[in-house]
Amino acid sequence: MSEQTPTSPRVLPRDRIRARLQTFNAARGQRVLGPAEIIALAGSAVILLLVIASYIYFLVPARLRLDALTAERSRLQAQLRTSQDIVRQGQTTEERVQAITQSLDVFENKLVGANSGRMGLYDSLNSLIRKNGLRNTSGPAYTPLEPLGSKTSAGSKSANTKWQSIYPGIAINVTVEGQYQNLRRFVQDIETSRQFIIINSVELERSTETNASPVVEGEAGAATAAPRPALVSLRLGMSTYFQRSSPEETAVGEGVN
């Protein structure tokens, strides 16, 4: 009998590929970094450097420029608000000037002329004294008030200088005597009269004149003195003003003088 040799098992190609992969994996496990890891690490480092460079060269200057533009915008907004406030103040001032000018025009139109105003003042004051049953004990004394800036007022140093204004006028001082109620009505009539009169000072004092009381007979035939209200003396300091004369009227008046 012939002896038969045992046959070795056949190795398949698939088994060989698996064995090689296991050998490669074992070899990779023994190394710290392989080629793939080194390439990936180098790529990551390059990307990190690009990010840092981009931050330094692009983002930081952009932020600085943004901060500068924000500060500039705030400054321009503040300057705009200031300009708007100045414009509004200018408009408000102009409106006030116009209102004052209009009020001044209305006031001047209500004033009367100097010639007619003087005569009307004399008649009105005397009429009010008679109307209220008062006795004129002093005055009325009339003192002309020249407009401020005129040649006459420049050298004047009278006590009435403080009542001068840009309008020509008259200072009036009068002392009347009568009962207190009549004096009150007299002052009220002056304030409500059509004449533009300003009361500058008021002085009240008991009258020194002795008035004899009327004698009446009583029930028993005895003569008794009837009570009589005490008289009060009123001293008024007043001033009134007239329309300003035009330059033509002033030139004519100076030519006549």
Side-chain angles (χ1 to χ4, degrees), residues 78-92:
Q79 186 175 358
L80 177 62
R81 287 193 297 269
T82 303
S83 301
Q84 290 176 347
D85 292 340
I86 293 174
V87 171
R88 283 195 295 267
Q89 290 177 0
Q91 292 176 350
T92 304

Side-chain angles (χ1 to χ4, degrees), residues 3-248:
E3 187 176 356
Q4 298 181 352
T5 58
T7 60
S8 60
R10 295 178 61 184
V11 180
L12 299 177
R14 185 176 59 185
D15 296 336
R16 288 197 300 269
I17 293 173
R18 183 179 298 172
R20 289 179 180 178
L21 289 176
Q22 290 177 354
T23 303
F24 179 75
N25 291 334
R28 288 185 59 188
Q30 294 176 359
R31 298 177 185 176
V32 178
L33 293 175
E37 285 80 2
I38 294 174
I39 294 173
L41 183 60
S44 301
V46 171
I47 294 173
L48 179 61
L49 291 175
L50 290 176
V51 171
I52 295 174
S54 300
Y55 178 80
I56 295 175
Y57 290 102
F58 296 102
L59 186 59
V60 172
R63 286 185 176 179
L64 294 176
R65 181 171 177 78
L66 177 62
D67 295 339
L69 292 176
T70 302
E72 181 68 13
R73 183 185 64 178
S74 301
R75 186 185 66 81
L76 292 176
Q77 288 177 348
Q79 186 175 358
L80 177 62
R81 287 193 297 269
T82 303
S83 301
Q84 290 176 347
D85 292 340
I86 293 174
V87 171
R88 283 195 295 267
Q89 290 177 0
Q91 292 176 350
T92 304
T93 304
E94 184 178 357
E95 292 174 356
R96 290 179 179 176
V97 171
Q98 291 179 355
I100 293 173
T101 303
Q102 293 175 358
S103 177
L104 186 60
D105 292 338
V106 172
F107 172 73
E108 289 184 348
N109 291 332
K110 290 183 178 180
L111 294 178
V112 297
N115 295 329
S116 60
R118 289 190 183 93
M119 299 305 299
L121 175 65
Y122 302 155
D123 296 339
S124 175
L125 194 58
N126 292 326
S127 176
L128 292 178
I129 292 175
R130 291 192 300 269
K131 171 187 173 183
N132 291 282
L134 304 177
R135 189 170 70 90
N136 187 0
T137 59
S138 176
Y142 301 97
T143 305
L145 297 176
E146 298 297 332
L148 291 174
S150 62
K151 296 180 180 179
T152 307
S153 64
S156 177
K157 295 183 180 180
S158 63
N160 294 318
T161 304
K162 60 181 179 180
W163 308 123
Q164 287 180 314
S165 71
I166 60 175
Y167 301 98
I170 295 176
I172 310 135
N173 291 294
V174 62
T175 303
V176 293
E177 188 179 74
Q179 298 180 9
Y180 178 73
Q181 296 298 331
N182 294 342
L183 295 175
R184 285 185 56 186
R185 286 194 295 270
F186 174 66
V187 174
Q188 183 178 2
D189 290 341
I190 292 177
E191 292 179 340
T192 57
S193 66
R194 298 181 61 182
Q195 296 284 339
F196 180 72
I197 301 176
I198 300 175
I199 299 177
N200 300 318
S201 61
V202 177
E203 296 181 14
L204 279 174
E205 60 182 8
R206 184 181 297 275
S207 177
T208 57
E209 181 179 354
T210 57
N211 297 316
S213 300
V215 179
V216 297
E217 292 185 359
E219 295 180 356
T224 58
R228 186 170 185 176
L231 297 181
V232 180
S233 177
L234 172 66
R235 184 180 297 107
L236 288 178
M238 300 173 288
S239 59
T240 185
Y241 302 94
F242 310 112
Q243 290 181 350
R244 290 180 292 183
S245 58
S246 61
E248 292 79 4

